Amino acid sequence: EVQLVESGGGLVQPGGSLRLSCAASGLTFSSYAMTWVRQAPGKGLEWVSTISSSGDRIYDADSVKGRFTISRDNSKNTLYLQVNSLRAEDTAVYYCAKVLSTMRDYYYYMDVWGTGTTVTVSS
Amino acid sequence: QSALTQPASVSGSPGQSITISCTGTSSDVGGYNYVSWYQQHPGKAPKLMIYGVSKRPSGISDRFSGSKSGNTASLTISGLQAEDEADYYCSSYTSSTSFAVFGGGTKLTVL
């Protein structure tokens, strides 16, 4: 069974930083692109960032460009999201998700999701 | 404001069919066949229900179907069941950002 487990969330002051992690098991992690999606309290889903299987291609939402950095360590089956210069509007549950297939056309579909880690930005 | 527009809520009785719309532009829904739908129960992670406009992942009931006409995609759920009550989100590739965007979500209530 494929499992994704996020960690690293917490309470942080505006302007602060965190590194979110997503540990993957039950799949050939290095074969799949991975994505971070967030959901603010009581709000809808927002795509944040996607990284290719090898890490050589990265796609970021405009709202996080220059502040958030997605990366991966295929030797550790782990996905990361470095979040810097945090703002109140970054408060959300952050989900990591696996894309549906190894083919590029399937990067837009996420078929396995973690349970999320909560980031709260407040003074 | 989300780039894709969904109704805030829809409702139906058990056994009935409902349709949720997702309206975009020629830069996203209308221009590409990269539309997907997710179901999310309260406090849970989203679940992929439809991809590529009308394809179902393995294990998804054929009561769920997807379609597209022009700039509007639709999710139809037939034979409504109590467990279908959830939030539903559409998503599409968009040339505006060269990646994906979600709709604002639709709350489905099974009466």
Side-chain angles (χ1 to χ4, degrees):
Chain A
E1 180 193 5
V2 178
Q3 276 199 313
L4 301 173
V5 180
E6 301 94 336
S7 61
L11 174 63
V12 61
Q13 292 187 338
S17 299
L18 286 172
R19 188 174 83 156
L20 310 183
S21 299
C22 171
S25 60
L27 77 162
T28 305
F29 181 71
S30 59
S31 295
Y32 293 92
M34 297 291 293
T35 288
W36 287 98
V37 174
R38 68 182 180 181
Q39 187 169 34
K43 302 296 184 182
L45 302 173
E46 180 186 13
W47 168 71
V48 173
S49 188
T50 295
I51 187 169
S52 64
S53 57
S54 64
D56 63 337
R57 283 167 288 157
I58 287 172
Y59 311 87
D60 293 320
D62 288 344
S63 58
V64 305
K65 266 180 188 166
R67 298 189 302 125
F68 291 10
T69 303
I70 191 172
S71 62
R72 65 191 296 160
D73 186 337
N74 287 343
S75 69
K76 296 182 178 179
N77 289 352
T78 302
L79 174 73
Y80 302 101
L81 186 68
Q82 179 69 41
V83 296
N84 298 330
S85 304
L86 282 164
R87 308 165 180 166
E89 55 264 37
D90 296 318
T91 294
V93 174
Y94 285 73
Y95 295 101
C96 74
K98 164 192 163 291
V99 303
L100 178 61
S101 167
T102 58
M103 292 186 284
R104 174 62 181 85
D105 271 0
Y106 290 79
Y107 276 22
Y108 313 113
Y109 315 128
M110 288 74 75
D111 68 333
V112 180
W113 296 63
T115 56
T117 187
T118 300
V119 173
T120 303
V121 184
S122 175
S123 55
Chain B
Q1 189 171 357
S2 303
L4 305 180
T5 301
Q6 298 181 233
S9 63
V10 299
S11 63
S13 299
Q16 286 186 334
S17 295
I18 64 94
T19 296
I20 299 172
S21 62
C22 171
T23 301
T25 68
S26 57
S27 296
D28 38 66
V29 173
Y32 307 91
N33 288 324
Y34 293 121
V35 176
S36 54
W37 291 90
Y38 297 84
Q39 175 192 67
Q40 187 181 34
H41 288 107
K44 301 294 187 181
K47 179 180 181 180
L48 180 65
M49 306 301 286
I50 296 287
Y51 69 96
V53 176
S54 60
K55 301 181 180 70
R56 282 187 306 275
S58 174
I60 300 301
S61 170
D62 60 4
R63 297 189 300 106
F64 293 83
S65 62
S67 63
K68 189 184 84 166
S69 177
N71 294 336
T72 299
S74 299
L75 172 71
T76 298
I77 308 174
S78 60
L80 266 181
Q81 299 179 1
E83 57 261 37
D84 298 332
E85 185 163 292
D87 293 325
Y88 290 84
Y89 294 90
C90 64
S91 178
S92 173
Y93 169 84
T94 172
S95 59
S96 301
T97 61
S98 298
F99 214 81
V101 63
F102 285 97
T106 298
K107 181 175 179 59
L108 169 62
T109 300
V110 180
L111 303 170

